[in-house]
Amino acid sequence: MAIPSKYEITEREAYWREFWAQHNIYAFDENSDKPIFSVDTPPPYVSADHLHPGHIMSYSQAEFVVRFKRMQGYNVFYPMGFDDNGLPTERHVEKKYKIKNKDAISRSEFVKLCLEETQKGIETYRNLWSLLGISVDWSKTYSSINPHSQKIAQWSFIDLYRKGFLSQREEPIMWDISFQSALAQTDLEDSEQDSHLNDIIFKSENTAEDLIIATTRPELIPAAVALFFHPEDKRYQHLIETKAITPISGHSIPILTDETVDREFGTGLMMVCTWGDSEDIAKWKKYKLETRLIFNERGILGELAGAYAGTHISKLRNSILEDLKAQNLLIKQTPITHTIQVSERSGTPIEFIITKQWFINVVEHKEALLEQGRKLNWNPKRMFSIYSDWVSSLKWDWCISRQRYYGVPIPVWYHRETGEIILPQEDELPVDPTEYTPRGYKAEDLIAEQDVLDTWMTSSMSPEIGAKLVENPDIAAKLFPSSLRPQAFEIIRTWLFYTVTKAYFHHNTLPFTDVMISGHGLDTQGRKISKRLGNFTPPETTIATYGADAMRYWATGTTLGENIRYNEEEIKKGKKTVNKLFNVGKFAEMHLVNFTLPDTASELELIDKWILSELNQTIEIATHSFEQYEYYKARTAIDQLFWNKFTDYYLELIKYRLYDESPEGQNSRKAAQYTLYIYIESLLKLYAPILPFITEELYQGLYSDTESKSIHNSTWPKTNTNWQLSEEENNLMTDILAVVEAVRAYKSQNSISLGKEIESFNYTSTQDISPYEVFLTKALRVGKFIK
RNA sequence: GGGCGAUUGGCUCAGUUGGUUAGAGCAUCUCGUUUACACCGAGAGGGUCGUAGGUUCGAAUCCUACAUCGCCCACCA
């Protein structure tokens, strides 16, 4: 197959994409006995078309390593997943179809819309990933809402229940009043808001004196259940064991002491409600305080809110402050800026209500989970601290039930009479309890669980969901644990933590051995790329302009875990590299016509051995670097070899030999051809993980004699000790290269064209390079060297 | 407040265990129509490696403090 005369990037990349697909170049081979390398590919959210260069960066970086492993002889299992489950999808559909009230649409209609939107998202990703040349095995694809994934997520629930890691408890839980669903610790986000610290008068029931408390949430006064002060606070000793009367609601609450109260804050008196924050819950639990819930799951105020009943909690603060003012009970308002926790998805400040929810008991296993995390091979190492910080700071068990429409149903029924919890058999999965009756029961005896599972409940099973795409159970078993988990650092505390947790609880193992954590994509000014700011060029546009190889080249531009700025110059450099490779390919093709690799190596000249020894060194560096996930280092070394050693020197120095038609020059010419042949093949292979398109083009054009043999299934280059230079040869080469440089400088400074022959050149050298004078005079067009 | 990361020529970034004149690309300047390539080639200029101390024969690299920027966590009701 010949190399085309011109490299039309878009057209040729499309050609090779099609070629790879047709020949199943990236398919996992179930019949192979090669060692397996399995990847736990991140399943991206498909709920919105928000793909930007940051995604390109992180997927490419992982893919460099995957391609390297494939060429190293691994049977690569590289599936693709799509996370189309859960709240983000619901929200996207609500927004897009302007669904304000879910009562206006049936559950099944709504789910149908979700699935439709999901499908569109999958197409967007799939198109871009193919465009980029991501070498996933598209025959191994899952979506997190499909039956395969649902089955595994539900199995997980059942297995955890049977093993005692699950519990159903009624307790205060973080709640999103706008979505009306429970939230897990990780669904929260900080939001800085301007507010007031209000000094408000309570009355002592016993002495009728004024008790001043400071609060940012005066609306919770009707929910107040106690006042606290520090046990050693001299100002309030006489109040121990007495009671206070709240303003507005006028109910009586105990006054207690606790060491966690800060004497310096406000007046040193603290109001505890049910519940304003986790501190409230802690004290409520510790002192077994009363429970006063003033609003329901929609945020509507109830009886305990007295006159305010029927209105919404969000309106209560102003009403209460006005009423306090009217009664002269509000003494002071201090403006403050503080950080409150809001629901990540809705932006609504979280509230606490008490409901029955399912939990995975993670808090009591903190130590073990920390230990599991420690056993992972983290790349880069420092990313482990994000994991350990998170695990150490866990305060709540993982709440896995969600009061939502679109998700994997919790596979549970409750017996109408006894309340007994009924689980389906494994072979019945997946089930929707609201539409299915488990074997051995009658529908009328059962109450179906309405809630669905947290979306992380499914994605935390991704290594197994992926592995089980292979039907043969023996082979599937070999795919778990995965070899590699690539992901972004933002989801260490969610996806990574939950996956580690699941593998530990289910199998007492790690879900994967190696972790590769990528950084953020930033815009040209160093700001985080986001859909909201719109500060990015769509990757499709960039690829159309410069090609996928060039875009991938940009992604090598930073070390793993570091953020990378979008930099069009780097992409241009990628394109230049592609162009240069192409031209070298054309040149080689021209000079390798009718050349076949001889059985025995040709008699190499010093310069030939030199470039091959440079190749040796680069192979070593690149191999080691890719193994350490240091694709950047690999690329730099390969670039050096290609640009600075090969095109700058070697190629120019052997041209005269390649063009030599004389009979006495044929041995030398063959040696140069031989070197060219060997060198370029290895060079292409070295670049192949980073630049899959152009390397395939040239490999097919120069080397492949079969229709289906791809460079990406070829073997990774090996070093050859025959190419090692002796110390003497090495010194000689150093001098020869110095002479080359000197001649070039001389010509450049004297405005002489490099191609023009000069009569003589003065040089000094530490080695005796006289045997190479003929070579130098020919290669450099110098009549005579004068020492 | 605690933790992590960053700070290197105009710009974007490398510098693995401390070791000869600190590297690359882009940009700048000079030169060159050379038979793979002008998406090219050759040459040149440009950095007291954020600041201040310390360890060492020797520090961009190790230690301490500080400054600026970014991120994460905890946040006083």
Side-chain angles (χ1 to χ4, degrees):
Chain A
M1 187 173 169
I3 299 172
S5 61
K6 201 158 180 282
Y7 190 59
E8 300 286 355
I9 293 180
T10 308
E11 180 206 318
R12 295 312 291 166
E13 287 189 350
Y15 175 85
W16 293 114
R17 265 200 301 283
E18 182 58 27
F19 175 88
W20 295 329
Q22 272 190 4
H23 295 281
N24 292 319
I25 298 300
Y26 306 125
F28 174 69
D29 183 358
E30 293 190 29
N31 301 313
S32 162
D33 51 8
K34 290 198 275 190
I36 288 174
F37 186 83
S38 57
V39 185
D40 184 14
T41 318
Y45 274 134
V46 295
S47 52
D49 44 333
H50 61 282
L51 282 166
H52 57 63
H55 296 93
I56 301 289
M57 174 198 76
S58 54
Y59 276 82
S60 300
Q61 290 177 347
E63 209 249 354
F64 301 145
V65 175
V66 175
R67 281 184 181 274
F68 165 71
K69 292 284 178 186
R70 190 181 288 116
M71 291 176 74
Q72 264 200 324
Y74 285 93
N75 185 15
V76 168
F77 180 70
Y78 194 16
M80 187 66 207
F82 294 101
D83 194 353
D84 44 11
N85 189 355
L87 227 48
T89 311
E90 275 198 49
R91 197 177 166 213
H92 174 68
V93 167
E94 281 172 356
K95 260 182 160 168
K96 176 155 181 181
Y97 294 95
K98 300 191 168 60
I99 299 167
K100 290 224 173 80
N101 187 347
K102 290 265 187 66
D103 298 339
I105 184 168
S106 78
R107 178 164 172 162
S108 58
E109 273 176 282
F110 184 79
V111 169
K112 201 176 146 218
L113 284 179
C114 289
L115 288 170
E116 276 174 26
E117 284 306 306
T118 283
Q119 204 46 47
K120 286 183 202 163
I122 287 179
E123 286 310 308
T124 308
Y125 267 90
R126 198 182 159 130
N127 290 340
L128 185 58
W129 277 186
S130 326
L131 210 55
L132 237 201
I134 297 289
S135 61
V136 297
D137 180 352
W138 289 105
S139 72
K140 302 284 181 288
T141 305
Y142 67 87
S143 102
S144 61
I145 199 72
N146 73 13
H148 173 75
S149 303
Q150 292 216 18
K151 188 173 168 178
I152 292 169
Q154 291 188 332
W155 170 84
S156 169
F157 180 94
I158 293 168
D159 191 58
L160 292 174
Y161 182 83
R162 298 222 165 103
K163 290 186 167 136
F165 293 113
L166 272 187
S167 56
Q168 192 181 28
R169 304 197 293 266
E170 192 161 84
E171 64 174 52
I173 177 109
M174 291 174 280
W175 186 264
D176 182 334
I177 50 174
S178 92
F179 281 144
Q180 291 146 43
S181 177
L183 298 172
Q185 195 170 343
T186 181
D187 297 324
L188 311 179
E189 196 175 64
D190 286 349
S191 164
E192 199 164 89
Q193 302 197 348
D194 291 325
S195 180
H196 290 92
L197 188 59
N198 304 283
D199 286 7
I200 294 164
I201 299 176
F202 282 46
K203 290 279 182 195
S204 162
E205 198 173 81
N206 308 59
T207 66
E209 70 185 289
D210 287 354
L211 304 175
I212 301 162
I213 64 110
T215 180
T216 52
R217 299 206 58 193
E219 70 272 24
L220 290 180
I221 288 174
V225 290
L227 291 186
F228 277 87
F229 62 88
H230 192 278
E232 284 158 31
D233 194 330
K234 296 199 176 81
R235 292 169 291 181
Y236 302 115
Q237 292 302 320
H238 61 290
L239 294 175
I240 287 182
E241 304 289 310
T242 66
K243 297 207 161 183
I245 303 287
T246 66
I248 305 291
S249 54
H251 64 282
S252 168
I253 54 175
I255 303 176
L256 305 166
T257 63
D258 191 273
E259 305 211 329
T260 62
V261 179
D262 181 354
R263 276 173 277 187
E264 305 299 314
F265 188 87
T267 56
L269 270 179
M270 173 185 185
M271 170 178 81
V272 169
C273 325
T274 51
W275 300 273
D277 57 22
S278 59
E279 209 38 56
D280 282 351
I281 294 173
K283 293 197 172 55
W284 171 78
K285 275 190 180 165
K286 187 169 169 190
Y287 297 98
K288 302 207 171 8
L289 301 171
E290 189 194 350
T291 305
R292 287 178 67 92
L293 294 174
I294 58 171
F295 55 88
N296 67 9
E297 67 274 13
R298 287 168 182 259
I300 306 295
L301 296 159
E303 275 176 45
L304 287 173
Y308 309 106
T311 57
H312 195 265
I313 179 72
S314 60
K315 305 214 167 100
L316 186 58
R317 183 177 304 175
N318 284 338
S319 311
I320 285 204
L321 285 173
E322 273 171 34
D323 292 350
L324 285 167
K325 245 182 242 170
Q327 297 174 40
N328 289 323
L329 294 173
L330 177 64
I331 356 182
K332 198 168 77 177
Q333 285 198 295
T334 319
I336 55 163
T337 305
H338 66 161
T339 309
I340 61 168
Q341 293 188 306
V342 301
S343 159
E344 190 189 6
R345 303 295 180 197
S346 70
T348 312
I350 59 151
E351 299 289 354
F352 290 83
I353 66 168
I354 195 159
T355 55
K356 206 171 202 186
Q357 304 286 349
W358 286 96
F359 295 88
I360 297 181
N361 307 329
V362 289
V363 173
E364 63 181 287
H365 298 283
K366 264 193 204 180
E367 281 310 313
L369 293 170
L370 208 51
E371 190 49 39
Q372 290 301 98
R374 203 171 280 127
K375 288 188 219 161
L376 289 169
N377 179 20
W378 292 84
N379 296 283
K381 291 219 176 332
R382 64 185 148 82
M383 293 296 177
F384 171 65
S385 67
I386 297 182
Y387 180 90
S388 68
D389 286 353
W390 176 250
V391 176
S392 322
S393 72
L394 276 177
K395 281 194 294 202
W396 315 87
D397 280 331
W398 176 14
C399 173
I400 53 164
S401 42
R402 294 289 184 278
Q403 293 65 50
R404 304 297 301 169
Y405 264 13
Y406 184 62
V408 177
I410 294 180
V412 162
W413 296 265
Y414 307 95
H415 197 277
R416 199 174 285 280
E417 304 285 310
T418 64
E420 181 200 355
I421 287 171
I422 294 148
L423 299 172
Q425 299 298 310
E426 242 180 80
D427 62 356
E428 291 175 281
L429 300 179
V431 296
D432 182 348
T434 62
E435 290 174 1
Y436 176 83
T437 308
R439 273 202 307 271
Y441 292 92
K442 286 183 195 148
E444 60 264 33
D445 293 337
L446 301 179
I447 299 171
E449 170 68 68
Q450 300 284 325
D451 290 355
V452 298
L453 290 167
D454 176 13
T455 161
W456 294 112
M457 191 65 184
T458 310
S459 29
S460 56
M461 301 301 288
S462 60
E464 283 152 286
I465 292 174
K468 287 186 174 155
L469 290 169
V470 172
E471 282 176 24
N472 182 327
D474 294 335
I475 297 170
K478 290 183 191 160
L479 297 170
F480 177 91
S482 303
S483 315
L484 175 67
R485 153 67 69 91
Q487 66 163 79
F489 70 82
E490 302 100 295
I491 50 176
I492 287 175
R493 53 184 211 169
T494 49
W495 190 36
L496 195 141
F497 168 66
Y498 288 143
T499 313
V500 168
T501 302
K502 287 291 194 70
Y504 177 65
F505 286 168
H506 287 307
H507 313 292
N508 192 17
T509 178
L510 290 173
F512 31 75
T513 47
D514 282 33
V515 187
M516 191 177 173
I517 307 283
S518 56
H520 277 303
L522 304 176
D523 71 3
T524 48
Q525 282 123 58
R527 292 176 305 174
K528 188 175 170 178
I529 292 176
S530 76
K531 193 174 71 163
R532 193 172 48 81
L533 288 171
N535 54 346
F536 62 91
T537 312
E540 292 87 345
T541 311
T542 313
I543 291 173
T545 314
Y546 300 105
D549 278 342
M551 182 106 219
R552 296 168 60 98
Y553 188 90
W554 163 76
T556 64
T558 190
T559 48
L560 183 63
E562 288 300 318
N563 298 335
I564 184 173
R565 291 194 187 197
Y566 181 75
N567 183 351
E568 201 150 315
E569 295 307 318
E570 277 295 301
I571 298 172
K572 283 182 187 164
K573 195 189 159 198
K575 196 184 167 198
K576 272 169 67 174
T577 304
V578 168
N579 184 56
K580 192 81 171 172
L581 276 168
F582 178 74
N583 283 311
V584 164
K586 291 297 288 178
F587 178 81
E589 188 182 40
M590 200 159 80
H591 291 285
L592 294 176
V593 177
N594 300 329
F595 175 81
T596 45
L597 202 60
D599 294 336
T600 51
S602 306
E603 193 62 38
L604 298 180
E605 298 185 11
L606 178 63
I607 185 92
D608 303 326
K609 271 184 82 176
W610 167 72
I611 195 67
L612 293 176
S613 77
E614 291 290 340
L615 173 65
N616 255 356
Q617 288 176 38
T618 306
I619 291 171
E620 263 176 41
I621 296 171
T623 306
H624 184 256
S625 301
F626 275 126
E627 271 166 356
Q628 304 294 313
Y629 304 101
E630 291 174 320
Y631 46 81
Y632 178 86
K633 232 181 248 182
R635 188 208 90 190
T636 314
I638 302 164
D639 275 355
Q640 278 267 330
L641 175 73
F642 177 51
W643 289 93
N644 302 7
K645 302 284 162 57
F646 182 73
T647 63
D648 285 0
Y649 289 97
Y650 183 75
L651 214 46
E652 297 303 326
L653 297 179
I654 61 158
K655 272 184 184 168
Y656 77 94
R657 288 160 62 192
L658 293 172
Y659 284 107
D660 193 344
E661 301 284 349
S662 70
E664 63 273 18
Q666 288 315 295
N667 276 344
S668 174
R669 185 183 179 193
K670 279 204 178 105
Q673 286 174 318
Y674 173 85
T675 310
L676 208 55
Y677 187 96
I678 297 284
Y679 173 88
I680 291 177
E681 183 179 21
S682 293
L683 179 80
L684 291 176
K685 287 178 174 184
L686 289 171
Y687 266 130
I690 296 168
L691 309 171
F693 293 95
I694 186 66
T695 52
E696 182 76 300
E697 183 77 73
L698 301 178
Y699 184 80
Q700 297 278 347
L702 295 169
Y703 300 99
S704 183
D705 40 10
T706 63
E707 249 301 288
S708 62
K709 189 150 190 292
S710 163
I711 190 172
H712 303 299
N713 282 333
S714 71
T715 53
W716 188 248
K718 288 188 182 61
T719 55
N720 184 334
T721 48
N722 293 333
W723 302 336
Q724 226 47 54
L725 293 187
S726 68
E727 198 185 330
E728 198 182 335
E729 289 172 317
N730 207 36
N731 290 339
L732 256 174
M733 268 318 293
T734 308
D735 269 36
I736 288 172
L737 294 178
V739 169
V740 171
E741 216 167 310
V743 171
R744 285 176 175 172
Y746 174 82
K747 287 186 174 177
S748 190
Q749 279 151 18
N750 292 285
S751 302
I752 301 166
S753 150
L754 289 177
K756 192 168 184 219
E757 182 164 326
I758 50 172
E759 279 184 23
S760 60
F761 183 76
N762 289 304
Y763 75 99
T764 50
S765 172
T766 54
Q767 312 288 319
D768 176 18
I769 63 165
S770 53
Y772 297 95
E773 273 195 17
V774 176
F775 148 65
L776 284 171
T777 52
K778 283 186 178 171
L780 297 176
R781 301 186 68 80
V782 171
K784 196 172 168 52
F785 282 90
I786 303 163
K787 180 137 186 166

